[in-house]
């Protein structure tokens, strides 16, 4: 796997809070591009949270941990299944309704709220039932001093209605909050982060031996039939590269609980 020395976004928020608006804008923009990339390939991540957003040594984002992801959700297709980390789960998942890629955008809204305020947007109660009720029924409270444009972005992403949320996401790159963003540079990984990370730790020979002896490093290469899943990603092991492109198939102070996966996931072609 690619080595990412910048740690995860939760650690970044804890270290650098409060995060300035330019950094929030840059991180949100890269997250948007990452989600659009996945969704264009029919992948719903289902566990977007600050712990699963990693940074490389320059401060660029990488979405990680696809253990709860579901694939081949294109067009009007939807899936079901109670999966994710509770505090970041969209209302439609909690209500056990069919859903599509728009659930990831709700989770992204929670992440951006955490970056902008240093708090969790809904109930701080430790009782899961109360957290679920808050996610389904409550609107987030915004600090008076919060930048109005980032507030508007968060409100659009945390919309309880999947249809309204999707409508907002369809035009999110045109939102005034992102006026200063050059999307071509962001998508090409050429934009410079408006912050500097400390240099990565030096990897000693003993530490390298431990890494190489780890069981994951000794596993056999991925089967050829699965290699096309990695087409177009920014990093791929030489053993995963293929020639053909993949074809479309017919908060800092709040540590989230363990991801949930209550029931098996099924796919349907419902509208």
């Amino acid at each position: 796997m690619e080595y990412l020395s910048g740690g995860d976004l939760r650690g970044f928020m804890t270290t650098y809070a409060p995060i300035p608006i330019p950094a929030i804008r840059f991180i949100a923009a890269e997250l948007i591009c990452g989600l659009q990339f996945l969704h264009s390939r029919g992948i719903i991540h289902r566990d977007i949270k600050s712990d699963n957003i990693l940074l490389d040594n320059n401060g660029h984002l990488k979405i990680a941990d696809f253990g709860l992801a579901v694939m081949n959700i294109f067009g009007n297709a939807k899936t079901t299944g109670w999966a994710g980390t509770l505090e970041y789960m969209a209302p439609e998942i909690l209500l056990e309704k069919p859903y599509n890629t728009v659930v990831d955008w709700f989770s992204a809204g929670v992440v951006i709220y955490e970056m902008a305020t240093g708090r969790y947007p809904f109930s701080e109660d430790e009782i899961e039932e109360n957290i679920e009720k808050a996610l389904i029924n409550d609107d987030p409270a915004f600090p008076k001093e919060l930048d109005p444009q980032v507030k508007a972005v968060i409100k659009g992403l945390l919309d309880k209605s999947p249809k309204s949320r999707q409508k907002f996401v369809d035009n999110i790159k045109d939102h005034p909050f992102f006026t200063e963003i050059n999307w071509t540079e962001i998508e090409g990984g050429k934009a410079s982060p408006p912050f500097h990370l400390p240099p990565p730790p030096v990897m000693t020979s003993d530490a390298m031996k431990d890494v190489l002896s780890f069981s994951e490093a000794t596993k056999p290469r991925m089967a050829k039939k699965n290699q096309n899943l990695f087409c177009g990603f920014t990093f791929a092991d030489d053993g995963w590269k293929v020639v053909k492109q993949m074809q479309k198939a017919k908060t800092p102070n709040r540590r989230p609980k363990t991801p949930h996966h209550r029931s098996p996931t099924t796919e349907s072609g419902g509208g």
Side-chain angles (χ1 to χ4, degrees):
M1 296 179 67
E2 185 177 11
Y3 176 54
L4 301 173
S5 62
D8 59 37
L9 184 57
R10 180 171 298 278
F12 178 87
M13 290 191 288
T14 301
T15 303
Y16 296 98
I19 299 178
I21 289 296
I24 295 173
R25 182 182 292 111
F26 175 84
I27 292 171
E30 290 212 335
L31 179 57
I32 287 169
C33 289
L35 288 178
Q36 288 181 339
F37 175 88
L38 293 177
H39 296 165
S40 70
R41 285 155 175 76
I43 301 170
I44 310 177
H45 188 281
R46 301 202 302 181
D47 199 19
I48 294 294
K49 57 183 178 181
S50 53
D51 305 69
N52 288 341
I53 300 171
L54 309 182
L55 292 86
D56 65 15
N57 62 310
N58 293 316
H60 291 288
L61 266 60
K62 305 283 185 175
I63 298 174
D65 195 348
F66 289 78
L68 297 180
V70 62
M71 300 183 293
N72 298 327
I73 307 299
F74 293 103
N76 294 323
K78 293 187 177 182
T79 187
T80 58
W82 206 89
T85 298
L86 177 59
E87 287 88 344
Y88 297 81
M89 290 167 69
E92 54 267 36
I93 295 181
L94 297 171
L95 292 171
E96 301 186 5
K97 296 180 178 180
Y99 55 85
N100 58 13
T101 57
V102 78
V103 297
D104 284 344
W105 294 107
F106 186 91
S107 304
V110 176
V111 172
I112 296 173
Y113 183 100
E114 290 177 324
M115 286 195 293
T117 68
R119 304 201 307 262
Y120 179 70
F122 300 105
S123 174
E124 290 285 352
D125 200 317
E126 292 298 322
I127 300 176
E128 291 192 358
E129 182 179 355
N130 293 337
I131 298 174
E132 286 188 39
K133 290 180 179 178
L135 285 162
I136 294 171
N137 302 309
D138 295 351
D139 293 323
F142 293 95
K144 294 181 179 180
E145 67 276 9
L146 184 64
D147 181 284
Q149 291 184 351
V150 71
K151 176 181 177 180
V153 170
I154 294 169
K155 289 183 69 175
L157 294 175
L158 294 183
D159 196 306
K160 305 295 185 184
S161 166
K163 290 185 178 180
S164 297
R165 195 185 317 140
Q166 184 65 65
K167 184 177 180 180
F168 176 81
V169 168
D170 288 342
N171 301 293
I172 193 168
K173 287 184 175 180
D174 297 324
H175 193 279
F177 181 62
F178 297 109
T179 299
E180 300 178 18
I181 291 294
N182 183 322
W183 290 105
T184 301
E185 290 187 353
I186 290 287
E187 291 171 351
K190 298 179 180 179
S192 299
F195 51 83
H196 297 283
L197 297 177
V202 177
M203 181 67 78
T204 65
S205 58
D206 289 340
M208 183 63 73
K209 290 179 181 178
D210 290 339
V211 171
L212 294 176
S213 64
F214 187 61
S215 60
E216 290 292 329
T218 61
K219 285 186 176 180
R221 287 186 173 184
M222 179 175 292
K224 289 184 178 180
K225 65 179 181 180
N226 295 324
Q227 290 178 1
N228 62 347
L229 298 175
F230 293 88
C231 286
F233 281 79
T234 56
F235 174 85
D237 183 274
D238 288 338
W240 299 343
K241 292 180 179 179
V242 294
V243 175
K244 295 182 180 180
Q245 292 296 315
M246 184 178 74
Q247 301 295 318
K248 289 185 179 180
K250 295 200 176 182
T251 76
N253 296 322
R254 182 184 181 86
R255 193 75 183 179
K257 299 179 179 65
T258 302
H260 298 270
H261 193 185
R262 179 181 289 170
S263 59
T265 299
T266 57
E267 299 169 10
S268 64

